[in-house]
Every structure is written in C-alpha cells, then in structure tokens.
Amino acid sequence: MHFHVLTLFPEMIEQGMNTSIMGRAIERGYISLKATDIRDYAANKHNKVDDTPYGGGAGMVMQAAPVYGAYEAVKEQIGYRPRVIYLTPQGSTFFTAYGGRILQKEQDLVFLCGHYEGIDERVLEEIVTDYVSIGDYVLTGGELPAMVMMDAISRLVPGVLHNEASAEFESFQGNLLEHPHYSRPEVWHEKRVPEVLLSGHHANIEKWRREQSVIRTAERRPDLLEKADLSAKEKALADRCLAEKKLAFTQEV
Ligand code: SAM
C-alpha cells in the first residue's frame, strides 16, 4: 500500500508516521509514505496558498490551483487516476471495515488534508473520490485524521504487525469489543488475574474471553450488539447486562 498525503505540513505527517510500528513498516517496505507539500505548487513568490472566502465571513480558504497542482504531480508519478480521500468533518465516518475494503482494491491512496476553513469546492469536485470524517468534532487540520486512517489501514497489511493474530481478534470484529487483557504479575494492588487465564485450559479461556466480549460490548457499546452474531445464551447474557445497566442508571437518577 502506497500512501500519498497532500498537505501544508509535510513534516507533521513524516514525524507522526515514522515511529514505532508504522516507522518499522515503512522501513521494511510493507507500506510507503510520501507527503507532498501543497505550498510547492503555489504560483507566487511568497508561496501563499489561501485567500479570503467569496461572500465574506471569517477565516481563509485553501485555493484550488495549488491543491490541483499537488494532485497532478502525484497522478503523474503513479501513472493513473488514484482514489483521493478528502478528510473532512462533513464526510461519512471512517470505520475499520472500510479500511479493509480499501486495501483489497487500491495500490495507492491519496489523502487530501484541509486547513483553515477548508478547500475551494471546485477542486474537490474534480479530484475527490471519498469524503471521510474521523468523528463528529472539528479539528484544525486534516493531518491527524489522515494519520488515523493510515494507521488503521496499515495494521491490516500482512506483515505490518509482528503477531498476525493480534490483527485478527480486535474490537469491532463481529461487532463486539475485545475482552480485557492481563499480564504479569498475577497480583497487582491486591487484584488477581482471573483464575481461568492461569489454567492453561484453552477452550475455557476462549469461552471466558467470548463472554467478556459480550459483557463489555453490552456495557460500553450496546449499539453494536444489534449486528453481532450471538448465540441464544450470549443474547441472554447481553440482555442481563443491559437490564443491570438500565437499573443502575435509574438508581443514579
Ligand atoms: N469549516 C469546516 C466545516 O465546518 O466543515 C471545517 C474546517 S476544519 C477547521 C479544517 C480542516 O480540518 C478540514 O478541511 C479537514 O481537512 C480537517 N478536519 C477537521 N475536522 C475533521 C474531522 N472530524 N474529520 C476529518 N477531517 C477533519
């Protein structure tokens, strides 16, 4: 997977992505990353890329021409018209399954990061294929959302995670949250690791983990449960948790 980021702050992308697991994945060639500075495509000596909005109002708007220039440079380099994701709070929300679908289809992905009030609509109409938000809040720029997406997509690329299994059983798979984790020591602050995890009995451990997933999802993200594939026993467990949660809430109020 080749990531191309069109941004006014390439150093932010490079610094953010070149550490830890992502840094190692780039170094080993599982993924590649190129940040293109939109300012390099400004047609004035001060490298100015923004201007005031037509119609008035606060803030500045990133102009169409430099954004288009940066896009054309990437297109020319890879030799075809790529999928272009514009990070915007006005897009559909990014979720893990979308990352997986992108991976199956695309070799190159272009992320377009806005700043200030956003980008001139006319260039968006010409180059953007996907409008994606990372949540219902407004950030100062698209760089963090682009890094969030690249991180989530990269984890699905074979070889990026040392232990392939750790990408297999994660929250949101099967619409459940993952079970809790414990490591050494067995007792910490007088809290013992659940006995079953020390038993070495794999079937019981799997059973416990699955139950914990159901309980945790009911407690924290009951909205996911509707689409989860639960057995009758698991459904009853989830219903009990939801009823207890409702009772606790009523007592609090
Ligand atoms: N004026 C825009 C609006 O109200 O929709 C918000 C512009 S925001 C201050 C500047 C840039 O940050 C956007 O162009 C976008 O690239 C990025 N951004 C902000 N919040 C985001 C979010 N939740 N998801 C994805 N990108 C976001």
Side-chain angles (χ1 to χ4, degrees):
M1 171 59 74
H2 304 294
F3 296 125
H4 310 264
V5 185
L6 311 183
T7 171
L8 294 177
F9 302 97
E11 67 287 353
M12 187 172 170
I13 299 289
E14 280 151 11
Q15 285 167 14
M17 291 292 288
N18 275 322
T19 49
S20 183
I21 296 174
M22 290 303 115
R24 202 174 52 224
I26 293 169
E27 208 180 282
R28 295 186 179 168
Y30 293 117
I31 55 174
S32 78
L33 171 69
K34 186 162 187 278
T36 298
D37 192 343
I38 294 171
R39 241 176 255 285
D40 290 345
Y41 297 87
N44 57 74
K45 66 173 189 266
H46 300 296
N47 286 350
K48 191 167 149 31
V49 291
D50 57 338
D51 210 332
T52 52
Y54 278 121
M60 300 295 273
V61 176
M62 285 170 64
Q63 292 166 293
V67 171
Y68 193 69
Y71 161 77
E72 285 276 277
V74 171
K75 194 176 99 182
E76 207 162 288
Q77 183 222 320
I78 62 178
Y80 72 101
R81 196 189 159 116
R83 192 160 177 175
V84 178
I85 295 174
Y86 175 44
L87 287 315
T88 165
Q90 301 178 15
S92 334
T93 313
F94 175 60
F95 57 103
T96 312
Y98 179 82
R101 282 208 298 276
I102 282 180
L103 263 188
Q104 281 157 16
K105 283 204 211 142
E106 314 295 334
Q107 251 201 20
D108 295 271
L109 268 187
V110 177
F111 293 96
L112 172 58
C113 307
H115 237 82
Y116 317 119
E117 281 310 306
I119 300 179
D120 190 309
E121 193 66 22
R122 293 167 294 182
V123 67
L124 300 179
E125 285 166 7
E126 290 205 11
I127 69 172
V128 173
T129 55
D130 301 54
Y131 292 83
V132 180
S133 164
I134 61 158
D136 289 348
Y137 36 79
V138 178
L139 301 164
T140 55
E143 286 73 16
L144 287 172
M147 286 192 265
V148 166
M149 278 191 73
M150 288 189 284
D151 187 302
I153 295 169
S154 300
R155 297 181 85 255
L156 306 173
V157 173
V160 167
L161 296 182
H162 263 331
N163 174 5
E164 293 297 333
S166 60
E168 260 172 44
F169 306 106
E170 298 271 30
S171 290
F172 307 114
Q173 276 156 26
N175 286 294
L176 290 174
L177 301 182
E178 202 190 25
H179 54 79
H181 297 281
Y182 299 87
S183 186
R184 271 182 255 281
E186 276 181 36
V187 182
W188 181 81
H189 279 200
E190 296 178 23
K191 292 165 191 248
R192 284 197 71 79
V193 170
E195 213 52 51
V196 63
L197 298 180
L198 308 173
S199 68
H201 193 302
H202 294 295
N204 284 353
I205 292 173
E206 277 320 301
K207 185 168 168 281
W208 180 86
R209 285 182 167 165
R210 173 84 186 173
E211 280 169 9
Q212 292 299 314
S213 278
V214 174
I215 293 169
R216 181 153 281 202
T217 311
E219 283 171 356
R220 299 183 184 181
R221 288 293 306 274
D223 55 303
L224 292 175
L225 282 176
E226 259 172 50
K227 284 191 254 149
D229 189 13
L230 301 182
S231 67
K233 229 171 145 186
E234 288 169 346
K235 175 115 191 29
L237 175 62
D239 287 344
R240 273 204 308 280
C241 293
L242 291 172
E244 277 168 25
K245 196 177 163 193
K246 207 167 158 191
L247 184 69
F249 178 73
T250 322
Q251 281 168 350
E252 254 174 47
V253 178

